[in-house]
Structures are given as C-alpha cells and as structure tokens.
Amino acid sequence: MYANEFPLDDSIIYLNHAAVSPWPERTAVAVTAFANENLQRGSQHYPHWLGIEQALREQLRQLINAESADEIALLKNTSEALSVVAYGLSWKAGDNVVITSGEFPSNRIVWESLQRFGVETRHADLTQDTSPEAAIIACIDRHTRLLSVSSVQYVTGLKLDLEILGAACRKHGVLFCVDAIQSLGAVDFDVQACGADFVMADGHKWLLGPEGTALFYCHSTVMGRLALRQYGWHMVEDYHNYDGPHWKIAHSARRFECGSPNMTGIHALHASLSLIHEAGMRNIQQQVMDNSRFMIDFLSRRQTRYRLLTPIEEGRYAGIVTFVPLQESSESLYGMLLEQNVLCALRGGGIRFSPHFYTPRKKLFQALELLD
Ligand SMILES: Cc1ncc(COP(=O)(O)O)c(C=O)c1O
C-alpha cells in the first residue's frame, strides 16, 4: 500500500526513516511546481502560498490533536524549538531539568548549557527502576522545573508512556516538553491526552518531509512564560502593517517566527502530510508496528547471533528496531549492508532499522535475509 508513492530506485532497501526519509513523489512534484512558479511568476500568488502555510498548520494541529492551530509555530528544526523553550524560560540557580540518559544530543546539550545559570540536568537511567517512567519520575524533586523526553528513543526505539509522565508533571507542577521527532508520522500522538506543554519535531523523518521545516507546539497557557529571543516583522500581531510605529507580540505561536517563512519547506511538508492524512495515522501505525514485530520476531529467533537493543514488549516499541551482532562487529555488518544498498544506521553500538508503513514486506525480508 502506497509503495507506488515512493518510486525509489529498485536496488535500494530503505530502512532509515529514523534518520532522513525519502520524499514521496507528490512532495517532489509540489517542490518542482513551486520552483516553476517562482521561475515564471515570482511571488505573484503569495496569498495562495500563505494559504498553504495555514493549511500546513492545520494538518499539524490535527496530527497531534492540538486545540488550536494558533499553538503551532513553524521553526527550522527540533533543536531550534528546544532552544526556544530552554532560553525562553527564566531560571534560577538550584533549578533542575530532568531528561533521560538516552536522549539525542539536541535534547541534552541545550539543557546542559543552562549550567552557567546554576541549572542542573538530571539524566534518568531508564534501566534502573520498575519501568522507564518510574525511573524518570524518581528524578523529579521540588527543584525540578521541566521534564524533557523524546517520545521514542532514537537508539533503542523505546516508546515512553507520555500520559503517565504528563500526569506526574502536572502533579509536581513541572513543565513537560516532548521531542516527538521519532514518533510523529509513525505512531499516534495526542498532545491533549498526554498534557505536554511543548512538542517539537522536524519533518524529515517519519513525516516524510524535507529537512529544515519543523513543528513547534506551545500550549496556549504557557506561551506567555517563554521570553522571546528573536524579533522581527513576522512575529507581531498586525504583521502586514509595515508602516505603523507601534506593534505588539502576536497572540499566537507565530510570535516564535521572527521573519520570512521557509516557503519551499512549507510547500514540501504540506504535500508530505497530505499523504499521511490520506493514508490515515491508524493505518500507518498498524503497518509500522507490523514491520517492527516482523523484525523483532526474526531477530529473536537468532539469539545466538543478534542481541536486540529494542524492547520487545507490546506498546514499548514504535518503528525503530536496533540490534547488535554477536559474531562480528556492528561496523563490519553495517558496511556489508550499505554495500548491498540497505540504507540503515549505526547508532548506540548497534544497527538501526527503521522501515516506514509503505516499505514493501518483500524488501524488508530481503534485508533481514542478508543477516543470515
Ligand atoms: C530524538 C531526536 N531529536 C532530534 C533530532 C534532530 O533534531 P533536528 O531536527 O534539530 O535536526 C533527531 C535526529 O536524529 C532525533 O533522533
């Protein structure tokens, strides 16, 4: 299903959506059409482009079940959105931030950089309690101001229970920040159910878009708590009034977008999301989970040769399956897979496979057979 939307070269087995996704055909068509429009007519139809931008905000709102598109800003990437949060909040010495020990550098470095304000970053060891959520919650104390986790861990593919974490944050009066780049477009995400204050994700992984156009969700009630670090014409309420001497900050999340939008990226991500909405998140999640189960079952039957880093319990994995070969180095196996045009990643000492919902089962099986 939908494999024809991805006319990848037949020699390629693409198992790398947790890194950078290929574009669907419709995205390439949209970008080509946008390029031609620029070539032939320039920005004559700019109002239409603004319509695409608004439509993208609405697609993203639906995807995460936000209350309003006004809570969604379009930023450059996940790291920028994390920085908007980290440098928007005001800190005092002795505050702490809780993260996990398995975070991608973007969701670690930015918090560690607050050390110069006397802020401590606590790394929850997810293997050290009855559950990963219990290990995280155990790190929260009365000085904790914010919890920041990725919904799905980039190395192991562990999926956290965000509703449990959100409830704990509310109970302790802690802000809740979710790096959702490894789950949006792969599995269902409901910002109202989990009660996240901030959510961020660039579009180039499971959302099937280009690099450089990211979602930043900020709950309306906490927007005012983020001081702005960038200013420009685009982030004021009446942003088409260029001549008035007075201005005020936009009431919506547009306040985080200081200048001209990335219109090429917006056209591209809008096209990619149209495919995701057409296919339906429920179907996509089903296919993604079926693929994961298929890989987990295959590798579990070869325990003398491969050790899974991905948890195998139902509900704990979500698209990413990572494993360590026991009879050779990960590097040499990775080299062999690349030679065979199996696009995957070397992460955390293991090999990470991340097929998407459209990946033909035949292709996935071909890649797994190479492991034999
Ligand atoms: C969990 C996680 N966060 C963030 C990123 C990337 O962030 P950015 O969008 O800033 O490039 C990655 C990329 O691999 C990731 O896996």
Side-chain angles (χ1 to χ4, degrees), residues 18-19 76-82 102-107 150-155 179-182 201-205 211-212 214 320 347 352:
K76 279 205 299 281
N77 47 48
T78 321
S79 310
E80 182 182 42
L82 284 161
E103 293 302 322
F104 189 76
S106 302
N107 192 30
S150 39
S151 41
V152 171
Q153 302 271 310
Y154 81 106
V155 170
D179 171 349
I181 198 169
Q182 292 298 1
D202 202 343
H204 61 273
K205 298 186 193 287
E211 287 182 290
I320 287 174
R347 293 286 187 277
R352 183 180 72 184

Side-chain angles (χ1 to χ4, degrees), residues 14-213:
Y14 208 97
L15 308 181
N16 215 15
H17 297 85
V20 179
S21 169
W23 293 1
E25 183 152 39
R26 65 177 75 192
T27 302
V29 168
V31 171
T32 307
F34 187 61
N36 282 329
E37 189 182 337
N38 276 272
L39 191 67
Q40 287 155 11
R41 313 209 67 97
S43 65
Q44 182 183 17
H45 299 305
Y46 204 88
H48 176 69
W49 299 357
L50 290 177
I52 301 281
E53 182 194 320
Q54 219 26 54
L56 171 61
R57 283 182 215 272
E58 178 55 26
Q59 286 172 321
L60 291 165
R61 184 202 69 72
Q62 278 183 32
L63 188 76
I64 64 169
N65 191 31
E67 253 175 272
S68 162
D70 279 355
E71 296 175 309
I72 287 168
L74 301 172
L75 298 189
K76 279 205 299 281
N77 47 48
T78 321
S79 310
E80 182 182 42
L82 284 161
S83 298
V84 164
V85 176
Y87 282 84
L89 293 170
S90 59
W91 303 94
K92 59 179 188 323
D95 286 345
N96 71 58
V97 172
V98 174
I99 63 170
T100 81
S101 53
E103 293 302 322
F104 189 76
S106 302
N107 192 30
R108 173 174 53 81
I109 290 170
V110 72
W111 309 116
E112 289 175 350
S113 77
L114 299 174
Q115 196 185 3
R116 60 204 161 104
F117 304 123
V119 177
E120 179 199 357
T121 302
R122 300 179 156 195
H123 304 76
D125 180 348
L126 300 183
T127 59
Q128 287 306 305
D129 215 311
T130 47
S131 71
E133 292 77 21
I136 293 167
I137 293 167
C139 291
I140 294 177
D141 69 7
R142 63 195 178 87
H143 299 293
T144 305
R145 298 278 314 284
L146 178 135
L147 167 66
S148 187
V149 296
S150 39
S151 41
V152 171
Q153 302 271 310
Y154 81 106
V155 170
T156 60
L158 168 74
K159 182 170 179 255
L160 291 172
D161 190 325
L162 298 181
E163 293 190 23
I164 291 179
L165 294 175
C169 284
R170 280 192 297 283
K171 183 172 153 207
H172 295 280
V174 166
L175 290 165
F176 188 27
C177 177
V178 181
D179 171 349
I181 198 169
Q182 292 298 1
S183 56
L184 290 194
V187 289
D188 216 20
F189 188 96
D190 186 332
V191 73
Q192 294 190 60
C194 72
D197 296 291
F198 312 110
V199 179
M200 50 284 289
D202 202 343
H204 61 273
K205 298 186 193 287
W206 305 90
L207 291 176
L208 307 170
E211 287 182 290
T213 305

Side-chain angles (χ1 to χ4, degrees), residues 6 11 37 42 59 73 101 118 127 146 207 221 233 253 284 330 360 369:
F6 293 83
S11 65
E37 189 182 337
Q59 286 172 321
S101 53
T127 59
L146 178 135
L207 291 176
T221 56
W233 68 274
I284 291 176
S330 291
E369 272 188 316

